[in-house]
């Protein structure tokens, strides 16, 4: 597959900061976001994930499509800005912080996972009128399959248009498929590596999160997607999908 190459001046660099393992320097130019790999492989993970979502027939307005590329000679990916001029993105973390002054992750960490999920759903409904059962259910199902270990409250959120809210599309899936995992030693089996992967929000178990909101999930991914990603996915990604898509 031929990969586009971009040379972008540092004037377009958006310096990101934070404690997230998935934090990357990003560029914003011509209404496109560019993300260079930090650990190696994030761009391919993003591209494979969006290809999986497309293959599943998932509504294209509900996820961000990523394309692998080279950015100033470094591997990465790019995507189109999902906001128009009248819109702004507010994370669940920022929404909660603005209203309560508290850290949503810390508050949820003191609760059982199911109570935390219900608490967040109720909070968002009270503040915005938006029901995020389906939104979270689809996130949980996707993360169960791709093993996204960086789905924190800053990459879940809503789009505000000045008068109304709606759920944001699914995005930021780069730290999936065990990419950058410090626990995925080459000395252990794939099964052991997958068992050592954990979710960052709510329960650390991908499967427990997905099962809890299963009845609200509208995302259905099957092994048929493997044929659609073979030309961009590594053997590591394909092996993980063969495993996670084989689970009940």
């Amino acid at each position: 597959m031929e990969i586009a190459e971009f040379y972008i001046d540092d004037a377009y660099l958006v310096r990101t900061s934070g404690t997230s393992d998935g934090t990357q320097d990003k560029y914003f130019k011509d209404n496109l976001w560019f993300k260079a790999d930090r650990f190696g492989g994030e761009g391919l993970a993003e591209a494979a994930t969006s290809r999986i979502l497309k293959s599943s027939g998932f509504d294209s307005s509900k996820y961000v499509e990523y394309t692998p590329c080279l950015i100033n000679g470094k591997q990465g990916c790019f995507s189109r800005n999902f906001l128009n001029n009248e819109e702004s993105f507010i994370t669940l973390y920022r929404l909660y912080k603005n209203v309560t002054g508290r850290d949503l992750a810390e508050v949820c960490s003191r609760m059982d996972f199911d109570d935390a999920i219900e608490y967040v759903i109720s909070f968002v409904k009270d503040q915005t009128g938006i029901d995020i059962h389906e939104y979270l259910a689809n996130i949980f199902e996707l993360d169960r399959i791709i093993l996204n270990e960086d789905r924190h409250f800053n990459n879940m959120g809503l789009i505000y248009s000045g008068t109304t809210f709606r759920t944001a599309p699914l995005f930021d899936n780069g730290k999936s498929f065990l990419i950058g995992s410090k626990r995925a030693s080459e000395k252990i089996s794939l099964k052991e590596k997958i068992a050592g992967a954990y979710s960052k929000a709510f329960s650390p178990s991908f499967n427990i999160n997905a099962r809890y909101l299963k009845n609200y999930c509208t995302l259905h991914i099957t092994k048929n997607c493997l044929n659609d990603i073979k030309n961009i996915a590594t053997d590591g990604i394909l092996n993980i999908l063969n495993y996670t898509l084989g689970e009940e």
Side-chain angles (χ1 to χ4, degrees):
M1 180 183 64
E2 186 174 344
I3 296 180
E5 186 165 3
F6 298 88
Y7 293 92
I8 307 175
D9 190 273
D10 281 351
Y12 298 98
L13 178 64
V14 179
R15 184 71 65 180
T16 58
S17 62
T19 59
S20 166
D21 284 343
T23 298
Q24 296 167 270
D25 287 341
K26 303 176 178 70
Y27 298 84
F28 185 65
K29 182 182 180 184
D30 299 331
N31 210 36
L32 297 175
W33 283 100
F34 298 86
K35 298 195 296 183
D37 288 358
R38 177 183 177 189
F39 296 101
E42 295 101 312
L44 286 179
E46 295 278 24
T49 298
S50 55
R51 187 78 64 86
I52 288 166
L53 290 167
K54 182 177 182 178
S55 174
S56 75
F58 198 53
D59 185 340
S60 61
S61 69
K62 293 184 177 181
Y63 66 92
V64 173
E65 184 174 357
Y66 293 89
T67 302
C69 67
L70 291 175
I71 304 166
N72 298 335
K74 189 173 183 179
Q75 290 186 333
C77 62
F78 70 90
S79 62
R80 190 163 298 281
N81 183 19
F82 59 75
L83 300 173
N84 63 38
N85 292 336
E86 293 76 36
E87 294 177 332
S88 58
F89 172 64
I90 183 167
T91 70
L92 295 189
Y93 175 89
R94 180 50 54 193
L95 178 66
Y96 191 79
K97 187 77 169 180
N98 288 349
V99 173
T100 70
R102 294 183 290 170
D103 184 318
L104 182 56
E106 289 184 6
V107 171
C108 288
S109 70
R110 303 189 196 105
M111 302 179 186
D112 290 338
F113 85 93
D114 49 349
D115 291 335
I117 292 173
E118 294 298 338
Y119 178 75
V120 171
I121 290 172
S122 178
F123 171 79
V124 172
K125 181 71 172 179
D126 289 344
Q127 296 300 319
T128 70
I130 299 298
D131 186 331
I132 61 169
H133 279 92
E134 180 184 329
Y135 175 68
L136 288 182
N138 289 336
I139 285 175
F140 292 158
E141 177 63 5
L142 177 63
D143 288 354
R144 178 190 73 79
I145 291 168
I146 67 174
L147 304 180
N148 186 343
E149 295 190 272
D150 198 45
R151 185 77 69 196
H152 47 78
F153 291 118
N154 272 316
N155 57 30
M156 294 184 272
L158 304 172
I159 295 174
Y160 180 58
S161 65
T163 57
T164 59
F165 289 91
R166 61 184 170 88
T167 53
L170 306 186
F171 72 101
D172 206 351
N173 309 295
K175 198 163 182 293
S176 304
F177 304 110
L178 303 178
I179 290 169
S181 174
K182 298 175 183 177
R183 297 172 302 283
S185 167
E186 294 302 319
K187 298 179 181 180
I188 61 177
S189 67
L190 177 62
K191 182 176 180 179
E192 290 173 309
K193 292 176 185 177
I194 291 174
Y198 67 89
S199 171
K200 192 163 263 186
F202 305 110
S203 168
S205 167
F206 293 107
N207 289 330
I208 287 175
N209 284 335
R211 281 198 296 267
Y212 184 74
L213 290 181
K214 183 178 180 179
N215 291 338
Y216 297 95
C217 185
T218 57
L219 172 61
H220 304 291
I221 299 172
T222 70
K223 282 192 175 182
N224 291 334
C225 73
L226 297 178
N227 290 326
D228 294 327
I229 67 168
K230 282 183 178 178
N231 67 323
I232 61 170
T234 63
D235 287 344
I237 288 175
L238 293 172
N239 289 338
I240 287 169
L241 288 172
N242 264 307
Y243 189 95
T244 59
L245 288 170
E247 294 184 327
E248 295 294 330

